[in-house]
Amino acid sequence: MTAIEQTEARPRGTRLPRRARRNQLLGAAQEVFVAQGYHAAAMDDIAERAGVSKPVLYQHFPGKLDLYLALLDQHCENLLQAVRTALASTTENKLRVAATMDAYFAYVEEEGGAFRLVFESDLTNEPAVRERVERVSLECADAISEVVAEDTGLSKDEAMLLAVGLGGVSQVVARYWLSSESAVPRDTAVQLLTSLAWRGIAGFPKVAPEQH
């Protein structure tokens, strides 16, 4: 059962273990922040959605920003792990590109719209939020760049430029695909984007292991 499902299933006043209660509150907060944005969301709304009193909410999170950052940390880590898993899923580079592209599409398609907290936050003027958003983008690019550098012999900086481009294109196109309610199925969209990216990245000759 997801945190959001727990939020819906638990009546007000039900006592939960601390970790379960925290997850329930995060699920309620995600719903409110995604629907209303940070600035319009109120702790009252989150407590009401979770079916708890405000004092219970404040026992776990001292303020609204703390709650938002906890959610952001969780979903940034989810994205990074998805990208790393995709990269490690195969040793065939074209399939790696496809798996990585699909990781971004799957991420934006997840129920609950958590990607909006990462890619479409209305709080990027807050240094703590901006730092997390920039860091996860760079960490994803760094993971991609390691594979690019290993197989092409490009310098770390050159590989990083390509990786930032691949990651950026993936998340922008995935978000457009979702928001436009495109008639193109997800698998087809991933295939199209993979073809575009592969035509570019495949232009860099693969370096034999003994040449490293």
Side-chain angles (χ1 to χ4, degrees):
M1 181 179 289
T2 67
I4 290 176
E5 288 170 339
Q6 288 176 349
T7 299
E8 294 173 343
R10 297 284 184 176
R12 181 182 291 272
T14 301
R15 294 185 65 84
L16 294 174
R18 184 171 181 82
R19 178 171 293 186
R21 178 66 78 190
R22 177 183 170 88
N23 288 338
Q24 181 202 30
L25 296 174
L26 287 171
Q30 179 179 321
E31 291 185 348
V32 174
F33 284 135
V34 168
Q36 301 181 20
Y38 178 84
H39 294 292
M43 293 293 268
D44 288 304
D45 299 328
I46 296 168
E48 178 65 27
R49 184 69 187 90
V52 302
S53 64
K54 279 181 68 177
V56 169
L57 180 56
Y58 281 114
Q59 285 174 9
H60 291 265
F61 300 99
K64 186 166 72 165
L65 180 59
D66 300 281
L67 183 50
Y68 192 86
L69 293 177
L71 267 175
L72 195 57
D73 285 338
Q74 175 183 314
H75 293 298
C76 283
E77 181 62 22
N78 289 348
L79 173 61
L80 179 58
Q81 289 306 315
V83 170
R84 286 175 172 167
T85 298
L87 291 168
S89 65
T90 178
T91 57
E92 186 176 334
N93 285 330
K94 187 173 184 179
L95 295 180
R96 269 185 180 145
V97 172
T100 303
M101 300 290 182
D102 190 58
Y104 281 91
F105 275 77
Y107 184 72
V108 303
E109 200 179 24
E110 283 181 0
E111 185 178 359
F115 79 94
R116 300 187 189 283
L117 304 178
V118 180
F119 295 133
E120 299 175 3
S121 174
D122 62 345
L123 195 61
T124 51
N125 62 331
E126 166 60 45
V129 172
R130 185 169 60 250
E131 186 273 333
R132 284 165 169 79
V133 171
E134 291 175 352
R135 184 176 66 211
V136 72
S137 295
L138 289 176
E139 286 179 341
C140 288
D142 190 58
I144 297 169
S145 74
E146 289 180 7
V147 176
V148 173
E150 177 69 20
D151 280 352
T152 64
L154 292 172
S155 71
K156 182 177 179 180
D157 288 343
E158 291 170 332
M160 189 64 171
L161 281 175
L162 293 178
V164 169
L166 288 170
V169 166
S170 299
Q171 64 99 346
V172 168
V173 174
R175 286 165 50 208
Y176 168 78
W177 170 81
L178 185 72
S179 65
S180 67
E181 299 181 348
S182 174
V184 179
R186 174 175 142 191
D187 288 349
T188 303
V190 170
Q191 289 172 7
L192 287 170
L193 192 57
T194 297
S195 296
L196 175 64
W198 181 246
R199 285 172 187 261
I201 199 72
F204 297 92
K206 187 170 182 178
V207 178
E210 62 270 14
Q211 291 180 264
H212 285 296

